[in-house]
Amino acid sequence: MTAAVTDTPGRPSPEPAYRILLIEDDPADALLVEELLKDTGLRFELTARTTLAEARTELAVRAIDCILLDLHLPDMSGTETVAAVRELAPHTAVIVLTGLSETQAGAEAMAAGAQDYLVKGKVEADLLDRTLRYAVYRSQTERVAAEAQEARLHAEENVRLERGLLPQPLLSTSAVTVTTRYLPGAERALLGGDFLDVVESQDGLLHAVVGDVSGHGPDAAALGVCLRIAWRSLVLGNHRGPDLLNLMERILIAERGSQPLFATCTLLTVDPNAATATLHLAGHHEPLLTTLQGTSELTAAHGMALGIAPEVGIWPATEVSLPASGALTLYTDGLTEGHNGEKGERLGVEGLLALIRDLPPSDPAAHVDHLINQTQALNAGRHTDDLAVLRLDWDTAGP
């Protein structure tokens, strides 16, 4: 049985209709409940089902504000019925209907999760009105509180992950400016598996990493945090190049467990005195070099992503000369894999370089922000990958 929205004649209807599911196998009791609801003056949509199985089907396809539940159904009985209904609809108000002889049933039902109970044969329209309104209000309040708690825990988790994925650069030099940006791919998502870091070792070399763990969500983020911390610790322990990547790969394999996760990364070591940069690419793309003549992609040798083929372990080095002033930009593929406007194709490195050529001159932070905003505007939400950018600027040319 399904009843349409019922209004009291001559009475205004400022409030929305209550969507009510009656689970009752006695036709006479079901009819009595419907008549009482009409006498309350409430606006309501009443759907009646005779078994828990039928109610389960109904709850799967419709949103319900309040469930009126008989404790004795053909397929379940007692307070177990309340627990089953609460599991099916955890944020829906439940009012139990008990018999005259069930003196303890109402209290036990509330202990099992019902908002309230009513005794059949002792229910007046005013009592049903007040009970239903209060039960729905209470369940809505509980839902809002639960959502607020979830949002708070989500924010706290994001903060913890951000501290692990986006650390403060460990630098003593003032000759290099570091700009970093990180954006998770999905709205309200935990930070993903992208990671970055910059440190200066005691020999005066500047080390940077940008990496991307496959997948999204907390597992990828946790592995990204692990690899970022491992990278910093190993670099400060004087591990370099293939030795460093081999140790990072061993850590990745140990930490990923049975999950088929892998990671790509770019390692960069800058020697300010020699004006050179050494690159090691593990399945990752080349950085961008910005000079007075413009921005271009560096050409570098490629090695295997970490965790794909541990037995290979070959990551060739590429050394490039650096100008007296310029910038190096390391980034994850969230910057280039989005769509290029209405063309339907990926932006790619060429599209990214075209955007950079059209950007007005600005300081490094503003330049990175403009670039990200441009790529996101072109993508229009069609590709949702995490995005990390690390830019290093220097100027030793003098006045």
Side-chain angles (χ1 to χ4, degrees):
M1 177 189 74
T2 301
V5 177
T6 301
D7 296 297
T8 302
R11 181 171 176 171
S13 305
E15 64 183 359
Y18 287 94
R19 296 164 296 186
I20 301 171
L21 173 62
L22 172 63
I23 311 177
E24 170 65 75
D25 65 327
D26 188 322
D29 286 342
L31 181 60
L32 178 61
V33 169
E34 183 179 3
E35 293 302 320
L36 282 170
L37 282 169
K38 291 178 181 178
D39 291 341
T40 63
L42 294 171
R43 300 183 74 235
F44 65 90
E45 296 176 1
L46 178 63
T47 301
R49 296 293 179 261
T50 59
T51 66
L52 185 63
E54 292 178 357
R56 179 182 292 109
T57 301
E58 186 68 25
L59 290 168
V61 298
R62 293 186 67 229
I64 296 295
D65 298 312
C66 184
I67 298 172
L68 301 177
L69 174 66
D70 179 33
L71 285 181
H72 302 290
L73 300 173
D75 51 352
M76 189 171 288
S77 183
T79 55
E80 292 181 359
T81 311
V82 179
V85 169
R86 292 292 292 172
E87 184 176 352
L88 292 173
H91 300 301
T92 300
V94 177
I95 300 174
V96 165
L97 305 175
T98 69
L100 290 171
S101 61
E102 299 174 299
T103 55
Q104 296 297 320
E108 292 173 355
M110 291 185 66
Q115 267 72 35
D116 212 330
Y117 71 96
L118 296 169
V119 180
K120 296 178 182 180
K122 289 190 175 183
V123 182
E124 301 292 338
D126 288 345
L127 176 60
L128 179 58
D129 185 320
R130 292 195 303 271
T131 302
L132 194 147
R133 289 178 184 273
Y134 174 73
V136 172
Y137 171 77
R138 179 180 169 190
S139 69
Q140 290 175 344
T141 302
E142 290 172 350
R143 182 175 66 251
V144 170
E147 290 173 350
Q149 173 72 353
E150 181 184 1
R152 184 182 66 81
L153 294 175
H154 181 91
E156 291 176 355
E157 184 69 10
N158 256 351
V159 169
R160 285 192 292 270
L161 286 172
E162 185 172 347
R163 284 200 299 266
L165 289 168
L166 309 175
Q168 289 295 319
L170 186 59
L171 301 176
S172 60
T173 179
S174 59
V176 177
T177 301
V178 179
T179 303
T180 61
R181 294 292 186 270
Y182 190 109
L183 294 175
E187 185 179 357
R188 295 190 71 246
L190 290 169
L191 297 176
D194 292 5
F195 59 95
L196 51 82
D197 201 355
V198 181
V199 301
E200 183 180 357
S201 53
Q202 290 185 338
D203 53 10
L205 299 180
L206 193 68
H207 307 272
V209 63
V210 162
D212 183 359
V213 177
S214 61
H216 304 279
D219 291 332
L223 187 54
V225 171
C226 179
L227 291 176
R228 201 282 305 166
I229 294 174
W231 175 86
R232 177 176 281 205
S233 301
L234 291 168
V235 166
L236 294 178
N238 293 319
H239 292 277
R240 303 287 185 266
D243 172 48
L244 171 58
L245 288 167
N246 178 62
L247 292 172
M248 289 178 65
E249 184 171 58
R250 290 175 59 185
I251 292 170
L252 180 149
I253 293 170
E255 292 294 331
R256 73 182 178 185
S258 60
Q259 299 181 85
L261 298 176
F262 64 92
T264 68
C265 66
T266 293
L267 304 188
L268 171 70
T269 299
V270 175
D271 185 340
N273 293 326
T276 60
T278 302
L279 294 169
H280 290 86
L281 306 181
H284 211 77
H285 43 71
E286 296 90 336
L288 304 179
L289 175 63
T290 299
T291 67
L292 294 175
Q293 287 71 44
T295 299
S296 60
E297 186 178 40
L298 290 174
T299 301
H302 285 259
M304 186 70 70
L306 305 182
I308 294 290
E311 68 280 0
V312 176
I314 298 175
W315 298 283
T318 300
E319 184 175 298
V320 296
S321 299
L322 298 177
S325 62
L328 281 167
T329 302
L330 288 69
Y331 59 95
T332 57
D333 54 16
L335 194 63
T336 56
E337 287 197 347
H339 288 75
N340 189 3
E342 299 300 324
K343 298 178 180 179
E345 59 192 27
R346 298 296 185 188
L347 179 66
V349 177
E350 290 303 319
L352 184 68
L353 292 174
L355 289 179
I356 292 174
R357 285 193 293 270
D358 293 337
L359 287 178
S362 58
D363 63 86
H367 184 275
V368 172
D369 289 337
H370 289 326
L371 184 59
I372 292 174
N373 290 338
Q374 289 279 354
T375 59
Q376 291 188 326
L378 287 172
N379 185 43
R382 287 169 291 179
H383 179 76
T384 55
D385 197 3
D386 306 316
L387 186 158
V389 180
L390 187 158
R391 172 168 164 156
L392 306 175
D393 286 79
W394 66 92
D395 186 359
T396 59

